[in-house]
Amino acid sequence: RKLSGVPFFLECAIMQRDHFLTAVLRVVNINEPLFAGTIMNFARWYDRIFEWLLGGLREIAARAVPPQEDMRVLDIGCGTGSQLSIYHQAGCQVYGIDLSQPMLNVAKSKLGDRAGLTMGDALQIPLPERLFDLVISSLFIHQLDPGQRSMMLEEAVRVLRPDGQILLVDFHVQERRSISGKFAYAFISLIEFFAGREHFSNSRDFLAKGGIPPIADDLGMRLRKSFIVGYGNLGVYLLCRDDRGN
């Protein structure tokens, strides 16, 4: 399934935007005033550059769990808050955690003071247990060390209400791909490589071990829905506790 009708090479490029930035940041000192200002300016322009292409993916994710008024939603790795904005506009209570303060600043300008935005570590979420109806995270888990993937999801489960759900967007394991899918996969692999040896190794390990479903299964989470997009290279996964009914 394609996103917003864009060519596959553009689609793959935007899926890998954060990894490209990681590669760039490895060769600059963001503490230098020049680069610090550049990162802040990029955060301000981020949505204008990418959002018209990413809107389709965000819509697919939001359709998996339609927003309802007063629903509490946490986005792990929220960036500029675009996914949270969909829920915020529908009257949900939204929270986000991210390691980038410039991105959080943009998210705050978009979502206002009522959004709970925190600069912090996804492995130690500074929020109480059983708080959220929905926890979402996009293109984040695959870049973690193998041992950290379960830790991140354990934290997501910890802050999730008993009847809550987790919505994840990440790489999908697919043995047979179309020609476009193979080109997309090659492009993604190239960007992953330039993001650094550790990142590339973690990404390959993530796919070799089956991606999201095995991790969720180990934690006692059940896959309720899944949508495969990005020419078979990207999956949208909706998880709930295994003892929950359909």
Side-chain angles (χ1 to χ4, degrees):
R1 183 172 184 174
K2 293 179 65 178
L3 305 181
S4 304
V6 301
F8 79 89
F9 56 86
L10 283 179
E11 185 176 325
C12 296
I14 60 173
M15 285 193 297
Q16 293 297 294
R17 67 202 182 281
D18 295 327
H19 305 330
F20 174 77
L21 289 175
T22 299
V24 171
L25 294 177
R26 286 178 182 275
V27 297
V28 301
N29 180 3
I30 61 173
N31 292 319
E32 292 290 334
L34 172 63
F35 291 122
T38 299
I39 298 303
M40 177 64 77
N41 288 333
F42 179 81
R44 295 192 185 108
W45 282 88
Y46 183 91
D47 288 340
R48 296 184 186 181
I49 296 171
F50 294 116
E51 192 55 34
W52 69 278
L53 291 169
L54 285 170
L57 178 58
R58 299 197 194 286
E59 290 171 5
I60 291 172
R63 283 201 300 269
V65 185
Q68 299 178 15
E69 190 172 0
D70 291 329
M71 175 190 290
R72 284 187 176 179
V73 181
L74 169 67
D75 189 346
I76 299 175
C78 64
T80 63
S82 292
Q83 188 72 47
L84 283 178
S85 181
I86 296 174
Y87 290 91
H88 183 261
Q89 292 173 10
C92 299
Q93 302 176 45
V94 297
Y95 298 75
I97 183 169
D98 201 285
L99 285 174
S100 171
Q101 189 60 54
M103 290 290 193
L104 288 172
N105 291 342
V106 175
K108 183 176 181 179
S109 68
K110 183 184 301 181
L111 301 172
D113 294 333
R114 294 182 62 186
L117 302 174
T118 303
M119 183 176 176
D121 187 353
L123 304 182
Q124 295 180 317
I125 299 174
L127 292 168
E129 297 179 359
R130 300 186 174 191
L131 183 62
F132 297 101
D133 301 293
L134 176 65
V135 176
I136 58 181
S137 186
S138 300
L139 293 171
F140 180 70
I141 294 182
H142 76 271
Q143 59 188 295
L144 297 174
D145 291 339
Q148 294 178 333
R149 296 169 197 153
S150 293
M151 292 172 60
M152 179 268 184
L153 275 183
E154 285 173 356
E155 275 293 274
V157 172
R158 182 184 66 80
V159 299
L160 193 69
R161 288 178 172 173
D163 61 345
Q165 300 179 96
I166 298 176
L167 182 62
L168 303 174
V169 180
D170 219 306
F171 294 147
H172 171 68
V173 178
Q174 183 166 307
E175 295 181 0
R176 302 183 66 179
R177 294 181 174 87
S178 65
I179 293 176
S180 294
K182 290 178 180 178
F183 275 107
Y185 179 76
F187 184 87
I188 290 171
S189 297
L190 182 64
I191 299 299
E192 291 284 300
F193 176 80
F194 281 112
R197 179 181 298 177
E198 182 179 0
H199 183 111
F200 183 73
S201 176
N202 288 342
S203 178
R204 297 306 92 188
D205 181 82
F206 173 81
L207 289 172
K209 291 180 177 177
I212 293 294
I215 304 172
D217 187 60
D218 287 345
L219 291 177
M221 302 296 289
R222 181 167 59 85
L223 182 62
R224 296 196 68 210
K225 298 179 184 178
S226 64
F227 307 93
I228 308 305
V229 297
Y231 298 89
N233 291 289
L234 200 64
V236 180
Y237 305 95
L238 180 63
L239 309 176
C240 66
R241 287 183 170 85
D242 198 40
D243 57 353
R244 183 175 171 182
N246 290 322

